[in-house]
């Protein structure tokens, strides 16, 4: 571990030199790439520097304990050794986590798709609640939300909504949200006051660069049409909405949020690339299906991952057995406790696999 940490420290210091080089400063691509690489390894570098300092202080304290000291000084040195030993263990645990294999998509923006599933209008209303939950969480993180497409029913729910969340690390936090979300409550459409169970599905995909998934013009068909809202009324009379079909795979992406046809085409292509990449990733993971599966799942949207029980103000994540009795707070975007628990579970699994 120490050899790996030293190589990371050497690379960090080399990058510092490169970033001060005038030739690099004048090359925007190199400047961006080196800055990102250094930023990625900075937490590990800083933890290693702190670890080395603690080890040096601990060795010095142990040497001092072997010298002739009065009782009071000896007790102080013993306390210092105890504190430094505890700090050493904390840093070793932190470094082990920092050295775990990192998902290459973790720093990326995400494209989120939410669809009302079982439950008709109530499922669509719950899909709108989930959209609000994620947008509020994004706001709390300082991220920017951009609506890309929406199919709204007469009650204001979403049959389907697609949006992008722009913010570094968005995928690392939200990748655990893919799956089926179940709600138990009395629907506004229920006159008898009975509790119903409905579901909405969520798919979280990393934003994909053009170089990662190349889409050739000859492989797509672009159709334009007039945007429409709830009930089918026309939102605008120009054919600004865009539907892009990827002919080799049959995958379709639509965008009608903006009034500019060109902007909608760009957004539709972003969704298309993300969907193609998602299928490629799932196919790659299927090759290793025989390996032990992660508790937090692989993003299969048919897997039931969480239940939101309104009568009991309860949220339960079934993958890790976590139950919180603060439904209102969660639905208002206070999701950090759930996400942190899922992250810790995945880290524990990775550490177990590495041993």
């Amino acid at each position: 571990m120490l050899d790996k940490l030293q190589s990371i420290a050497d690379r960090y210091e080399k990058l510092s030199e490169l970033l001060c080089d005038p030739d690099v400063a004048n090359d925007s691509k190199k400047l961006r790439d080196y800055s990102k690489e250094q930023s990625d390894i900075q937490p590990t570098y800083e933890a290693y520097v702190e670890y080395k300092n603690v080890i040096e202080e601990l060795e010095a304290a142990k040497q001092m304990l072997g010298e002739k000291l009065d009782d009071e000084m000896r007790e102080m040195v013993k306390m210092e050794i105890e504190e430094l030993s505890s700090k050493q263990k904390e840093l070793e645990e932190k470094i082990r986590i920092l050295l775990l294999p990192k998902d290459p998509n973790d720093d990326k923006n995400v494209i989120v798709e939410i669809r009302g599933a079982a439950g008709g209008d109530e499922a669509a209303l719950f899909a709108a609640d989930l959209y609000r939950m994620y947008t509020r969480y994004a706001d709390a993180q300082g991220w920017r939300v951009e609506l890309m497409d929406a199919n709204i029913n007469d009650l204001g729910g979403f049959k389907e909504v697609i949006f992008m969340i722009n913010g570094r690390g968005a995928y690392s936090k939200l990748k655990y949200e893919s799956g089926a979300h179940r709600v138990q409550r009395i629907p506004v459409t229920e006159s008898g006051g009975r509790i119903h169970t409905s579901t909405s599905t969520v798919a979280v995909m990393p934003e994909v660069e053009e170089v990662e998934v190349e889409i050739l013009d000859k492989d797509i068909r672009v159709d334009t049409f007039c945007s429409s809202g709830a009930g089918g009324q026309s939102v605008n009379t120009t054919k600004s909405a865009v539907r892009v079909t990827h002919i080799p795979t049959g995958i379709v992406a639509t965008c009608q949020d903006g009034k500019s046809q060109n902007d909608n085409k760009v957004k539709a292509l972003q969704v298309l690339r993300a969907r193609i990449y998602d299928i490629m990733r799932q196919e790659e993971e299927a090759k290793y299906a025989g390996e032990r599966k992660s508790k937090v799942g692989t993003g299969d949207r048919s897997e039931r991952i969480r239940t939101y029980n309104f009568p009991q103000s309860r949220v339960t994540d079934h993958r890790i057995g976590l139950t919180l009795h603060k439904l209102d707070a969660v639905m208002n975007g206070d999701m950090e406790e759930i996400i942190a628990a899922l992250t810790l579970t995945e880290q524990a699994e990775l550490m177990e696999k590495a041993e």
Side-chain angles (χ1 to χ4, degrees), residues 37-84:
E37 184 184 353
Q38 188 182 56
S39 177
D40 287 344
I41 63 175
Q42 185 172 348
T44 307
Y45 171 78
E46 290 176 347
Y48 179 48
V49 170
E50 187 179 1
Y51 179 76
K52 286 200 299 183
N53 290 336
V54 167
I55 293 298
E56 288 175 7
E57 291 176 18
L58 186 56
E59 287 300 319
K62 286 179 178 178
Q63 287 180 14
M64 186 181 295
L65 194 62
E67 298 173 2
K68 190 174 182 179
L69 303 171
D70 60 41
D71 291 344
E72 185 178 353
M73 180 60 74
R74 183 171 294 277
E75 283 303 312
M76 288 177 64
V77 173
K78 283 182 178 179
M79 286 178 62
E80 184 180 7
I81 289 173
E82 189 177 329
E83 289 173 6
L84 288 168

Side-chain angles (χ1 to χ4, degrees), residues 19-31:
L19 289 169
C20 293
D21 188 325
D23 291 337
V24 173
N26 292 324
D27 186 327
S28 59
K29 185 178 185 307
K30 283 185 178 179
L31 185 64

Side-chain angles (χ1 to χ4, degrees), residues 84-354:
L84 288 168
S85 297
S86 177
K87 185 66 175 176
Q88 179 189 355
K89 289 179 182 177
E90 289 175 13
L91 285 168
E92 286 173 349
E93 182 71 14
K94 181 179 179 180
I95 288 168
R96 273 198 291 269
I97 291 172
L98 287 168
L99 290 177
L100 289 173
K102 187 178 179 183
D103 188 327
N105 295 314
D106 273 354
D107 287 337
K108 292 184 177 181
N109 302 327
V110 294
I111 293 173
V112 185
E113 299 179 349
I114 306 175
R115 292 183 175 87
D121 286 338
E122 166 63 4
L125 289 169
F126 182 54
D129 291 337
L130 290 175
Y131 170 73
R132 178 172 173 269
M133 178 180 78
Y134 291 129
T135 54
R136 293 209 166 187
Y137 178 73
D139 288 342
Q141 299 296 311
W143 299 336
R144 181 169 57 87
V145 177
E146 182 180 0
L147 184 65
M148 304 184 84
D149 195 26
N151 185 349
I152 306 170
N153 72 1
D154 293 332
L155 296 176
F158 287 125
K159 295 178 183 177
E160 178 185 50
V161 59
I162 303 170
F163 56 102
M164 178 178 283
I165 296 179
N166 295 275
R168 184 166 184 184
Y171 186 75
S172 70
K173 295 273 193 177
L174 295 173
K175 62 184 176 182
Y176 309 110
E177 293 303 301
S178 290
H181 295 242
R182 181 175 70 170
V183 62
Q184 295 173 326
R185 65 183 177 187
I186 300 170
V188 294
T189 55
E190 170 59 48
S191 57
R194 293 174 299 174
I195 295 172
H196 283 221
T197 297
S198 304
T199 57
S200 294
T201 62
V202 175
V204 178
M205 302 171 290
E207 182 187 16
V208 181
E209 301 292 334
E210 290 182 40
V211 293
E212 295 175 274
V213 174
E214 185 180 14
I215 297 177
L216 303 176
D217 288 341
K218 68 181 180 65
D219 288 338
I220 61 172
R221 184 179 71 247
V222 180
D223 300 307
T224 59
F225 56 97
C226 293
S227 300
S228 60
Q233 70 267 29
S234 177
V235 172
N236 60 69
T237 55
T238 60
K239 290 189 175 182
S240 61
V242 174
R243 181 187 301 108
V244 181
T245 303
H246 188 242
I247 297 168
T249 62
I251 297 172
V252 179
T254 303
C255 184
Q256 59 177 329
D257 184 58
K259 291 186 177 181
S260 163
Q261 187 181 110
N262 187 59
D263 287 349
N264 283 335
K265 182 182 176 183
V266 169
K267 291 179 181 179
L269 284 170
Q270 284 180 307
V271 175
L272 191 66
R273 273 193 295 272
R275 287 177 176 169
I276 292 171
Y277 179 83
D278 193 48
I279 288 174
M280 291 166 56
R281 181 182 58 81
Q282 288 182 35
E283 288 175 349
E284 189 66 24
E285 288 175 351
K287 293 178 184 178
Y288 306 98
E291 295 183 9
R292 180 176 57 83
K293 288 188 176 180
S294 167
K295 279 185 183 177
V296 296
T298 57
D300 182 355
R301 68 182 71 184
S302 66
E303 177 193 3
R304 189 191 73 187
I305 63 168
R306 195 174 298 147
T307 294
Y308 305 75
N309 185 296
F310 277 70
Q312 297 176 18
S313 188
R314 169 172 53 83
V315 181
T316 300
D317 194 289
H318 304 291
R319 295 164 292 182
I320 55 176
L322 175 69
T323 295
L324 301 177
H325 292 277
K326 55 173 193 177
L327 178 65
D328 288 346
V330 171
M331 297 307 295
N332 277 308
D334 184 6
M335 301 171 58
E336 195 58 41
E337 189 172 350
I338 297 173
I339 291 170
L342 290 164
T343 302
L344 285 171
T345 299
E346 184 179 49
Q347 288 173 348
E349 289 174 353
L350 288 170
M351 288 179 74
E352 183 182 333
K353 193 175 180 180

